């Protein structure tokens, strides 16, 4: 008595799900595959990053050896990278102690930069645009920055006026700093040690 | 139990296929993206001069993270019509060319350090056009062109001119606009 009553439901459960299982695995494949692609494209390239203190760079992005993730991300952002022969760009989204950059705080950036024909230090809002501030300036170049007797400099990032090299931060929210070294002998990634890069020091918050 | 193992196999199949879908979609993105730099550059009016896409000051540009101290200009090229000659007069400010493929990726870059007598000139061509140019060349008078081979028929040149100070921005923009990109008709 028991055997047939047991067999009948098992036959039923086997015939119905086959299609369902195929559909399930296909949906799983599409969902996970496209979902992971979407997530990767929103972020930074997962491989090939060069990390010097708070500064990050992807030197291969501007070369013929850019990996498929870099190419996909560049295409998605409609970005044009600096080529390796032109220079190297570094991004910082945190201070030197790893805390995210916040425009409510005051930062001091300095005092050295790796050897380059020209460097620029610019700030950007979360949308990748230079912030529109009353100061009307969002970057310093190596030619503009005021230096001390030791040939070192300090740039103050803050919402309120500071003497010396000052960049005004936007009213609120996170921001990023980009340091671009143009025509640098270090473009290949050699000689770029942390001591050659500017330190991003958080002075105070919530002023 | 049996139903569970079938479910497990289906999940595994789904995961393996997901890896495939991920790889294919990542590889396809540069070709399918409708908003990539090449697509935007191609809509610019073609001419013999480079066109500004990011003026110094970094306002009014679609380029993400524009450098306010740099003028960025571009020429799109299509080598099916013939080799492309890009030439610029160099000045005191850093000027550089980078050659980008349609599907993304830089294949050549040069700065004004390579300029000869204040002029930087590069000819981009396909491998076939290079062979033809070599064959047509007079042995006693070898060409002085700097020739580079483009891996793809289409692409774009990016010209960057820096403006170290704000007062030089106008000069930098003019210098970037003055770069000529001429398609050479095959003989």
């Amino acid at each position: 008595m028991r055997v047939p009553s047991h067999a009948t439901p098992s036959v039923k459960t086997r015939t119905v799900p086959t299609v369902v299982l195929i559909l399930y695995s296909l949906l799983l494949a599409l969902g996970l595959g496209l979902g992971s692609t979407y997530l990767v494209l929103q972020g930074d390239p997962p491989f090939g990053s060069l990390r010097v203190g708070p500064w990050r760079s992807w030197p291969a992005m501007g070369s013929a050896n850019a990996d498929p993730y870099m190419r996909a991300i560049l295409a998605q952002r409609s970005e044009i990278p600096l080529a390796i022969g032109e220079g190297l760009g570094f991004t910082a989204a945190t201070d030197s102690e790893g805390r995210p950059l916040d425009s409510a705080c005051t930062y001091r950036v300095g005092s050295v930069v790796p050897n380059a024909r020209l460097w620029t230090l610019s700030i950007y809002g979360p949308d990748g645009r230079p912030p529109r501030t009353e100061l009307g300036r969002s970057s310093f170049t190596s030619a503009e920055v005021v230096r001390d007797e030791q040939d070192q400099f300090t740039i103050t990032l803050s919402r309120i006026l500071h003497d010396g090299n000052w960049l005004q931060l936007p009213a609120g929210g996170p921001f990023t700093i980009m340091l671009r070294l143009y025509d640098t002998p270090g473009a290949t990634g050699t000689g770029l040690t942390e001591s050659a890069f500017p330190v991003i020091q958080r002075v105070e918050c919530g002023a | 139990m049996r139903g569970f193992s079938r479910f497990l196999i289906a999940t595994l199949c789904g995961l393996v296929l997901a890896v495939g879908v991920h790889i294919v979609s990542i590889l396809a993105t540069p070709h399918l993206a409708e908003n990539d730099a090449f697509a935007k550059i191609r809509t610019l009016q073609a001419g013999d001069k480079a066109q500004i896409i990011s003026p110094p000051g970094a306002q009014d540009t679609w380029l993400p993270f524009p450098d306010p101290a740099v003028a960025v200009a571009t020429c799109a090229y299509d080598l099916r019509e013939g080799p492309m000659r890009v030439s610029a007069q160099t000045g005191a400010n850093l000027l550089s060319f980078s050659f980008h493929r349609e599907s993304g990726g830089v294949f050549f870059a040069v700065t004004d350090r390579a300029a000869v007598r204040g002029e930087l000139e590069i000819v981009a061509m396909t491998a076939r056009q290079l062979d033809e140019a070599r064959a047509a060349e007079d042995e006693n008078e070898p060409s002085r062109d700097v020739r580079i081979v483009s891996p793809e028929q289409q692409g774009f040149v990016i010209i960057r001119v820096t403006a170290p100070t704000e007062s030089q921005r106008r000069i930098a923009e003019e210098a970037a606009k003055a770069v000529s990109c001429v398609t050479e008709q095959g003989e």
Side-chain angles (χ1 to χ4, degrees):
Chain A
M1 271 304 276
R2 272 184 184 178
V3 179
S5 73
H6 210 81
T8 329
S10 80
V11 166
K12 262 185 192 166
T13 48
R14 275 168 70 180
T15 43
V16 180
T18 308
V19 182
V20 176
L21 281 179
I22 291 175
L23 259 177
Y24 156 73
S25 64
L26 286 180
L27 282 178
L28 188 72
L30 272 179
L32 282 180
L34 294 179
S36 58
T37 299
Y38 177 79
L39 281 181
V40 164
L41 291 184
Q42 301 304 307
D44 291 323
F47 307 112
S49 84
L50 176 68
R51 204 178 251 284
V52 197
W55 303 98
R56 291 183 82 190
S57 179
W58 286 265
M61 203 122 100
S63 78
N65 302 325
D67 68 37
Y69 284 110
M70 293 178 183
R71 283 183 199 184
I73 288 169
L74 286 178
Q76 205 263 339
R77 290 184 190 163
S78 64
E79 193 178 327
I80 301 169
L82 262 183
I84 265 190
E86 293 178 297
L88 200 52
F90 288 84
T91 314
T94 65
D95 65 11
S96 285
E97 282 164 52
R99 293 168 295 202
L101 296 176
D102 183 351
S103 30
C105 303
T106 300
Y107 295 91
R108 261 206 288 268
V109 184
S111 52
V112 285
V113 159
N115 194 11
R117 186 158 145 201
L118 177 83
W119 56 257
T120 65
L121 190 139
S122 336
I123 52 175
Y124 298 96
D127 57 349
R129 305 270 130 220
R132 285 177 188 273
T133 54
E134 293 160 42
L135 180 65
R137 162 192 276 285
S138 63
S139 80
F140 269 109
T141 72
S142 50
E144 291 169 328
V145 83
V146 180
R147 295 158 205 263
D148 63 17
E149 302 87 57
Q150 278 92 44
D151 206 23
Q152 299 191 329
F153 68 91
T154 305
I155 296 173
T156 308
L157 311 179
S158 140
R159 279 193 294 189
I160 46 166
L161 177 74
H162 268 260
D163 56 353
N165 305 305
W166 172 55
L167 286 182
Q168 191 175 21
L169 292 176
F175 70 100
T176 53
I177 310 177
M178 278 203 81
L179 175 69
R180 292 183 175 88
L181 312 172
Y182 287 99
D183 204 0
T184 162
T188 47
T190 52
L192 298 175
T193 54
E194 197 170 341
S195 60
F197 274 82
V199 171
I200 306 170
Q201 189 195 349
R202 191 163 96 180
V203 186
E204 54 171 350
C205 271
Chain B
M1 200 57 208
R2 208 186 159 98
F4 180 70
S5 68
R6 275 156 55 87
F7 174 72
L8 212 67
I9 289 171
T11 306
L12 276 177
C13 285
L15 287 178
V16 171
L17 285 173
V19 172
V21 169
H22 177 75
I23 292 173
V24 168
S25 57
I26 286 285
L27 289 177
T29 303
H31 299 278
L32 298 181
E34 287 172 356
N35 263 330
D36 65 350
F38 182 69
K40 289 186 172 168
I41 286 168
R42 198 161 41 180
T43 59
L44 296 170
Q45 198 127 51
D48 284 352
K49 295 285 177 199
Q51 316 234 353
I52 296 280
I53 51 173
S54 171
Q59 305 297 340
D60 188 30
T61 173
W62 49 261
L63 207 63
F65 299 100
D67 190 335
V70 175
V72 184
T74 187
C75 295
Y77 62 75
D78 188 343
L79 297 179
R80 282 172 294 194
E81 293 154 21
M84 171 85 146
R85 182 180 293 269
V86 187
S87 50
Q89 302 288 329
T90 60
N93 293 336
L94 171 64
L95 179 144
S96 64
F97 292 164
S98 56
F99 290 77
H100 299 250
R101 309 198 298 183
E102 179 195 357
S103 59
V106 185
F107 64 89
F108 184 77
V110 66
T111 69
D112 57 2
R113 279 182 202 272
V116 181
R117 282 185 224 100
E119 193 156 348
L120 186 61
E121 191 167 282
I122 303 285
V123 184
M125 44 177 62
T126 60
R128 191 200 165 108
Q129 286 161 348
L130 179 65
D131 285 344
E132 285 170 2
R134 281 194 182 137
E137 207 166 273
D138 185 349
E139 273 181 31
N140 300 319
E141 246 181 89
S143 161
R144 288 175 186 277
D145 290 347
V146 180
R147 294 160 170 165
I148 57 160
V149 171
S150 167
E152 284 175 22
Q153 303 267 14
Q154 292 186 66
F156 56 95
V157 189
I158 289 292
I159 298 117
R160 287 188 169 94
V161 186
T162 61
T165 60
E166 209 161 325
S167 57
Q168 282 168 297
R169 286 182 177 174
R170 171 135 241 132
I171 305 169
E173 190 173 343
E174 293 303 321
K177 267 197 244 175
V179 172
S180 78
C181 310
V182 182
T183 300
E184 302 202 318
Q185 301 303 324
E187 288 103 69

